Structures are given as C-alpha cells and as structure tokens.
Amino acid sequence: MKILIATEKPFAAEAVQGIKEVIDNAGHEFVLLEKYTDNAQLLEAVSDVDGMMIRSDKATAEVLEAAKNLKVIVRAGAGYDNIDLAAATANNIVAMNTPGQNSNAVAELVFGMMVMAARNSFNGSAGTELKGKKVGIHAYGNVGKLVAKIAQGFGMEVLAFDPFVAKEAIEADGVTVVDTVEELYSACQYISLHIPATEKTKNSINYDLLSKMPKGGTLVNTARKEVIDEEGTLKLLAERADFKYFSDIAPGAREEFESKFAAQVFFTPKKMGAQTAEANINAGVAGANQIINFLEKGDDTFKVN
Ligand code: 3PG
C-alpha cells in the first residue's frame, strides 16, 4: 500500500530515514512530499495513497475528499485541530495523533522562552531569575507535566489548572492544584499555556484573565495562537510595560505586536516547539507504525474521530 508523508515543514533527515525504513520494512511504498508551497501539490499527492502522515499541514475536507483511497491519517504530534474530523469520518478515514512523542521538545522550548523573557531578550540590561518565582501550568497534559518537572529543577513553585486531570495525579508531582483559571493567573508571574484550540478555548485567554497576572507577568504560549484574544493582549501590553507575551505561534497581528511592543514580545519565525531531531524521530516513527498497524491489523489506538 502507498503511504504519504506530507510535511510543509519537513522532519529532520534522520527522522525521514527512520520513517522510510519502517514503511519499507513492512513492504509498503513510501511517498514523500516536503516543503510544498501550494495546496494543489497536496491534492495531487493524496490522490492514490492508502495512509498519510502530516504535521500542522491542513487536512481540509477538500484534501480528504481528494484522497479517494485514504483509510488512515496520522497527525505526527499532539494537536489535531488541523484535521477536519467530520470530513474524515464522512469519508471513512480514521484520524489519529501521536500523543506524548514530541512533548519534551516543546517543554524545553518553554524554558528557552522563559529565560529569554526573564533576561530581557538578552539586551544587556539586568534581568531576573526564574528561581523562587511561580509558574502556572494551564492544562496538565504530556507537555504540562514535563514543564512542571523542569520548573522544579529551576527552583520554581509550580501551580496547575486542569479540570480534566485528577487532582491527586497532579499533586503527586509536587504541583499545587488550583480550582479556577482565574486563581492560576492571579497567583503566577509565569503562565505556560498547553490548552488545545477548540470552539470553547478560542479567544479564551483574554484581557480580563491576563490582567490578573502579577507584576512582571509573562505569558508563554507553545500551544495555539487561536486561544489568545489578540485585541485584549494588545490592550494589556499597552497598559502594562511589565507584561510580556512570548509565543512559539506568532499572532495574526504579528506586525502590530512587534512594531508597538518590541521589548515585550517575542515570536519564533515558524512553530519550533516540536522541531528537534529527537521529537521528529519519536513522532514520525510512531506515526508510521500506527499507520501500518491500522492498515494491516485494524489497530486504531489513538484514534481521535
Ligand atoms: C503539536 O501539536 O504536536 C505541535 O504543535 C507540533 O506541531 P508541528 O508538527 O507542526 O511542529
């Protein structure tokens, strides 16, 4: 069977090699579409494949309908808001993610950005230290849990809010659980965001919530840009010179943020959280195995639709 790897932002070469080996060894055909610039290239590539793996690539209804033989699509990564799940289901396509496989890379980047914010983007002026400060983890999933562990290594006090994870499980990591999101933002100088982009969470990180953060409040976003209320964030940046917004996913109004608040914001040029050789190998090889196990044995572990 034909298995397509479609990645506008390519995996590391070692990961591509590892994925190819898994597919070759299972006797299937490996097809690679990297760095494509036009949706038409994706539409053409999917036309005759049985399985497919993507990253943040958009699997729209148009793409899924064009993939006439497609039986399984794996998002090599955690968030699957880029797959039209209703269209996948309507076309009898199983959609999966690879939870946990790229989490460490994302958690490490959180601290890259936190240190950068604390040291005033390395501009030569005296900054502050993370030690002794409170960090609030907004959603305690695979990444949040690792952020907690690293934060403890920095000597930070760790708080978390996640109504979907048992309080005892979070507390077992030495993390203080708060009952409301407002409590988290009021208590913590640093917030690390790990919520998915859903209809419920879109624009939910708004002015009211962010303005509760104490002096020196810094929001670190390695989740999704859609969860941020950009207007409210711009308003707060204008009101409070001490507030910072560092994100791995540039806002829609990137130019306005950067031109007005250069000293208070930082955005990576492209989402870099999961962009390590290790994360690419972990997620890519896991994804390839999931595709093969589904095509050969009907194993639908990590199905999300
Ligand atoms: C994820 O949801 O796993 C991350 O956002 C990584 O996205 P990427 O594969 O596009 O780097």
Side-chain angles (χ1 to χ4, degrees), residues 9 11 54-57 75-81 98 102 106 222-224 248-249 271-275 280:
K9 179 176 66 187
F11 284 127
I54 56 171
R55 298 185 62 182
S56 289
D57 307 78
R75 190 278 190 250
Y80 44 87
D81 47 309
T98 65
N102 59 19
V106 180
T222 53
R224 289 291 180 271
D248 187 29
I249 321 92
K271 189 165 57 162
M272 295 299 294
Q275 196 61 328
N280 289 173

Side-chain angles (χ1 to χ4, degrees), residues 144-156:
K145 194 177 167 69
L146 288 167
V147 168
K149 197 174 172 189
I150 302 172
Q152 287 159 344
F154 269 93
M156 301 184 86

Side-chain angles (χ1 to χ4, degrees), residues 102-130:
N102 59 19
S103 307
N104 186 67
V106 180
E108 288 191 12
L109 186 71
V110 169
F111 287 88
M113 291 200 292
M114 266 167 53
V115 170
M116 189 180 173
R119 298 302 183 98
N120 301 325
S121 300
F122 312 120
N123 70 357
S125 67
T128 54
E129 298 180 20
L130 300 182

Side-chain angles (χ1 to χ4, degrees), residues 182-200:
E182 288 78 15
E183 257 182 89
L184 191 75
Y185 283 68
S186 305
C188 297
Q189 183 175 341
Y190 290 91
I191 292 285
S192 188
L193 265 182
H194 303 291
I195 53 175
T198 65
E199 280 319 307
K200 249 188 150 168

